[in-house]
Amino acid sequence: MRLGVLDIGSNTGHLLVVDAHRGAAPLPAYSYKEPLRLAEHLDAAGAVTQAGIDALAAFTAQAQRVAEDKGCEDMLAFATSAVRDAVNSDAVLAEVAERTGLAIPVLSGEDEARLTFLAVRRWSGWSAGRLWVFDIGGGSLEIAGGADEEPEVAWSLPLGAARLARQHLGAAPVDEDALRSLRKQIRADIARDAGRLLRHGAADHAAATSKTFRSLARICGAAPSGDGPLVPRAMPLVAVSEWIPKLAAMTHDELAALPGVSASRAHQILPGALVAEAAMEIFELEALEICPWALREGVILERLDQITIGS
């Protein structure tokens, strides 16, 4: 069947059209996305602004037209942390539904981590053994781990790259005091619940997903996306640590010129690197493998499993 997967993230609205059926990997057929940057369309009270709502409604309406044009039988829509954490979340989604006719459910942080874990497990296979998965989004960091397809632990932290950039960092370059303060906060937040993952035993395999991790891996020397998803990619801790002071000293234009970094996300790469470094050091990981599958694939896979069970 042909499915449309509508992902309303903290940075980007993304419609992925896929051909999917039981026993096969979801095959991307078309991609349509816009940089909504909802994590930055928040007022002082934490509400999504009217400009943010208008952008979301316009993108959703266009995504529906694209999905229809591409022959999608169904639409799997979801929103993540930017909408989830907004104080006017219900009102935002109600207005979008009224204007577009599409009800967009909100994934909990735990479900976001769980579905991402499912995608990475299916990609990595059972030979990966006990698996740990990390995902840095625009609004949150998801962590999950386990030996099966359902993680033993899965949780979310408000440590997304866009959120941290907006709340804690000014214009690039970043001064040393701001860098040290943010580094301290990130590590305290991750370490607070680290035992949830560690008490189940060390990982046999540790993986990372998301645009932030892919960009960081590219900066650290991983193969470009044009080489295809089957090329192994990894991000060593030592390389991330070496890059952090360099990133802090760069201007916005210099950051945007780095391989794998777009101008719209350039301001997020430093806080993303701080989160990645902290997670790897706290969980004693020398490197993370970059997995091309993430939350969208997890949503698709769970839907296919449900159809199979229902039949």
Side-chain angles (χ1 to χ4, degrees):
M1 66 167 50
R2 175 158 285 195
L3 298 172
V5 184
L6 185 62
D7 176 358
I8 305 302
S10 299
N11 285 311
T12 305
H14 190 172
L15 170 70
L16 181 64
V17 177
V18 298
D19 292 320
H21 63 272
R22 181 183 178 185
L27 179 64
Y30 189 79
S31 177
Y32 166 65
K33 55 187 174 181
E34 292 289 343
L36 299 178
R37 299 176 72 166
L38 291 178
E40 298 170 34
H41 274 292
L42 298 173
D43 62 22
V48 178
T49 64
Q50 188 59 49
I53 296 172
D54 291 342
L56 176 55
F59 170 76
T60 300
Q62 180 60 24
Q64 288 176 283
R65 289 190 285 269
V66 171
E68 291 172 5
D69 288 345
K70 297 300 178 182
C72 292
E73 299 178 42
D74 199 1
M75 177 83 84
L76 306 179
F78 60 89
T80 56
S81 62
V83 176
R84 180 171 68 232
D85 297 339
V87 298
N88 61 337
S89 174
D90 291 343
V92 170
L93 295 176
E95 181 169 339
V96 171
E98 182 178 357
R99 291 167 63 173
T100 68
L102 181 66
I104 303 174
V106 176
L107 287 179
S108 69
E110 181 177 342
D111 278 343
E112 195 173 339
R114 177 182 61 81
L115 289 166
T116 301
F117 181 89
L118 172 63
V120 178
R121 168 60 77 191
R122 293 277 177 94
W123 179 271
S124 302
W126 293 111
S127 63
R130 181 169 296 280
L131 179 65
W132 289 357
V133 175
F134 302 87
D135 183 347
I136 303 172
S140 59
L141 164 69
E142 275 68 50
I143 302 173
D148 299 319
E149 288 201 335
E150 283 287 333
E152 294 160 339
V153 291
W155 76 99
S156 179
L157 294 167
L159 296 177
R163 182 196 298 265
L164 295 176
R166 177 175 56 85
Q167 294 180 345
H168 298 281
L169 299 180
V174 175
D175 68 72
E176 188 173 335
D177 288 341
L179 187 67
R180 183 184 301 111
S181 176
L182 180 54
R183 181 180 186 274
K184 179 180 178 181
Q185 177 196 315
I186 289 169
R187 287 168 182 259
D189 287 348
I190 294 174
R192 186 175 300 117
D193 292 322
R196 296 177 61 182
L197 190 63
L198 293 169
R199 70 171 53 97
H200 292 280
D204 298 306
H205 190 81
T209 72
S210 77
K211 176 64 174 176
T212 296
F213 272 120
R214 291 196 301 273
S215 296
L216 287 170
R218 182 74 183 97
I219 291 171
C220 293
S225 59
D227 287 357
L230 299 181
V231 175
R233 294 174 176 86
M235 189 183 71
L237 172 59
V238 63
V240 176
S241 297
E242 289 174 353
W243 266 101
I244 285 175
K246 300 176 188 178
L247 296 173
M250 289 182 176
T251 65
H252 181 274
D253 288 344
E254 289 171 333
L255 291 168
L258 290 170
V261 179
S262 63
S264 64
R265 291 176 181 256
H267 63 301
Q268 301 178 26
I269 200 65
L270 174 59
L274 290 170
V275 173
E277 181 193 47
M280 295 172 77
E281 289 193 345
I282 287 169
F283 293 106
E284 299 184 352
L285 300 168
E286 294 184 0
L288 288 170
E289 181 178 322
I290 306 302
C291 178
W293 281 8
L295 177 58
R296 283 185 292 274
E297 287 77 12
V299 169
I300 295 166
L301 292 166
E302 183 172 69
R303 176 58 180 273
L304 291 175
D305 289 348
Q306 291 169 347
I307 291 174
T308 300
I309 291 171
S311 62

